Amino acid sequence: MSERFNGGDLLVRVLRAHGVDTVFGVVSVHNLPLVEAVERDLRFVAVRHEAAAVNAADAHARVSGGLGCALTSTGTGAGNAAGSLIEALSAGSRVLHVTGNIDSAFLGQGRGVIHETKDQLGMLAAVSKHAAAVPSAAEAAEVLFEAAAAALALPQGPASVEWPIDLQYAAQRLDGLPAVREPAAPATSGDPAAAARELAAARRPVIWAGGGARTAGEQVRELAERLGAPVLTSNAGRGTVPEDHELVIGNFAAQPAGQALLAGADLLISVGTHFRSNETRHYKLALPERHVQIDVDPAALGRAYPITHGLCGEASRVLDGLLAALPAGAAAAEPGWRARAVEARREARARLRADIGPYAGICDALREHLDPASPIARDVTIPSSQWGNRLLPILDPATNVFPLGGGIGQGLAMGIGAAAARPDVPALVIAGDGGLAVHLGELATLAQERPWLVLLVFNDGGYGVLRNMQDAHMGRRSGVDLFTPDFGALARSMAMPYALVQDAGAFDEAFAKAVAAREPYVLEVDVTSVGPTPVPFVPPVPIPEEG
C-alpha cells in the first residue's frame, strides 16, 4: 500500500522548505493532524496557552532571524492567540500562525459546532499582516506558501492561515509544491544625493535607529563614525550598533541627556523607527527641524514628525546608497560634537545608575555572567521599564526581546521561544510577579522543555508600574496590590532549582550560580527587602489634571 499524506505532512514540508525546525502550539481536535506530523518530524513545543504559542514563535523568529511558527485551535483557541498576534504585528515579527477551523461543510451556518466562532478570518485579518483560509485540499499548499512569503516580505509581520479540519485530514500530494518565494527587495524612492548633501552640510548630526535598522548595523555604524554622530535608539533598535560603542547613547532619547543632544543638533537621521509615544514623551519631544527619514514603509515618512528628505526602502540598501553619495572624506561634525556625544552617553548612564540605587549592581551582574549572544527577554515590569530597557547593554540586536506593544505577561513565553533558538548560551527572562502570573502555566512548559534559562522574578506584590503611576498622579491605589504565590514552592513542584535574593549585595553570586546550573532556574528578588529605587519609575503616560 502506498503511503498516504495529509495536511500535517504538507505543513511539515512547507516549514522545512522555510528552514523552520521548531513549532510552538496547543493540540486540539481541530489541529490534530498538524500537531501529529510536526511532533513526528520536527520539534513541537507544547505550551499551555495559545497566546504563549504565538509569543514563543515571535521571539524565536526575532532571535533566530528566521520564520516562527505557532499552531492553535479554532474559535477560542484562535481568539486566545489574537493578543499575541497584535504584539507580533507591532514588532514586525515573522510569524506563521496556523489555526484550525470546523468542517468546511458547516462553515458560516452558526449551528453550534464545537469550537465554532463567527468570522474567525475577519478577526485574524484585524490582528495579522496577512490572513487567509484554506478553501480546498488542492489549494492548501499555495495558501501556506503565500502566507509564509507574506510574513517574510518587508515590512514583515505575522501571517495567519485557518484550515478546516476535514481539509487537514484530506489527502495531499507532496510533489510539485510551489517554490519558496524569496522576498523581493522593496523598491527604493527618494533622492539620496540631496539627502547626502544635507548630511554633509550638517555640523551637529544625530542618528536615531529603530527596529527597522537592526539588519543594517554595519551601515549605521559607518555612518555614525564618518559623521561623528551620536546614535540614539528606540527600544526595538537597541544593539543595532553594539551598546559598548562610545557613540551609542542608546534608548535615552526622552531622557535629559538625549533631549539635550537633540536640542543641540542641527540634523536628525532616523532609520526605521516609529517614534512611539512612550519614547517621545507622547510626541512632545523636540526634534531638529532638518530631518532625513529612512523607512521601508512609505506611509511612515513624515507620519510622526516632519521631514525634509524621505528615503523609502530597506535600511541597508538605502544607507549603502547614502554612504556612497557622501563626499569622500566628509567629516561633517563640528569640533567637540563627538566629545559631547561621549559625555552624553556617560551622563545618561550615570544618572540612571543613581536613580536605581542598588539595582545598578544587579544590572552589572546580569551582563557580567551572560554571554554576548544570550537572549534577554524582558516582560513589562519596573526593572525592565526603568533600567533593563536602557542600562543593561545589548551587544547583538537579535538578543533584544521585549513586548514592543507594551502588553504585560508575555515575557516568559518569549524567553522560552528565544532559548529554543539559541540553546548553547544561557537565556534570561526578567519578569515581575504580576506579569508572570498572567501566564503562570508556562512554568510547566519551562519545566517540560528544560532550556538553559534563568527566570528572574522581581516580586513587589502586584503591578509596580501602575502602582507608581497611581501614587504619583491619583493619591489612591486601585487593582494593583495582588496576592502573590510562593515562587519557591512553585519551582519545587516543577522540579526546578530556586533561590531567593533579599540583599542586592548577594545577587552577583546567586545569579552566577543560576547561570552555571545550565537548566531552568527560578531566581526571585524580594523587592520589599532590597528596597525601592531612589527615584520611582513612573511611566510617561499623560494624565489629565483635575480642574
Side-chain angles (χ1 to χ4, degrees), residues 22 24 43 59-61 63-64 375 416-424:
T22 303
F24 305 86
R43 179 185 180 188
H60 193 277
V63 173
S64 70
I416 291 169
R422 291 193 177 178
D424 297 329

Side-chain angles (χ1 to χ4, degrees), residues 319-460:
L319 285 169
D320 280 339
L322 195 57
L323 287 162
L326 275 176
E334 68 182 20
W337 183 242
R338 183 182 182 116
R340 185 171 170 183
V342 173
E343 174 58 21
R345 169 189 168 83
R346 186 205 64 77
E347 177 190 334
R349 284 160 175 76
R351 178 168 182 153
L352 183 50
R353 291 180 73 87
D355 286 351
I356 65 176
Y359 296 91
I362 291 177
C363 180
D364 293 341
L366 296 179
R367 187 68 278 171
E368 172 68 22
H369 296 293
L370 291 173
D371 190 279
S374 289
I376 302 173
R378 307 179 303 284
D379 204 351
V380 179
T381 187
I382 286 177
S384 294
S385 299
Q386 187 170 25
W387 53 265
N389 292 346
R390 295 180 179 84
L391 192 63
L392 179 57
I394 298 294
L395 307 175
D396 170 0
T399 67
N400 180 37
V401 182
F402 183 77
L404 296 169
I408 193 171
Q410 303 177 85
L412 177 54
M414 285 184 155
I416 291 169
R422 291 193 177 178
D424 297 329
V425 292
L428 172 67
V429 171
I430 299 177
D433 57 294
L436 187 59
V438 174
H439 284 302
L440 204 57
E442 299 313 321
L443 282 174
T445 306
L446 186 62
Q448 163 191 293
E449 297 298 319
R450 307 207 69 78
W452 187 5
L453 182 151
V454 179
L455 171 58
L456 179 57
V457 185
F458 288 87
N459 185 354
D460 64 1

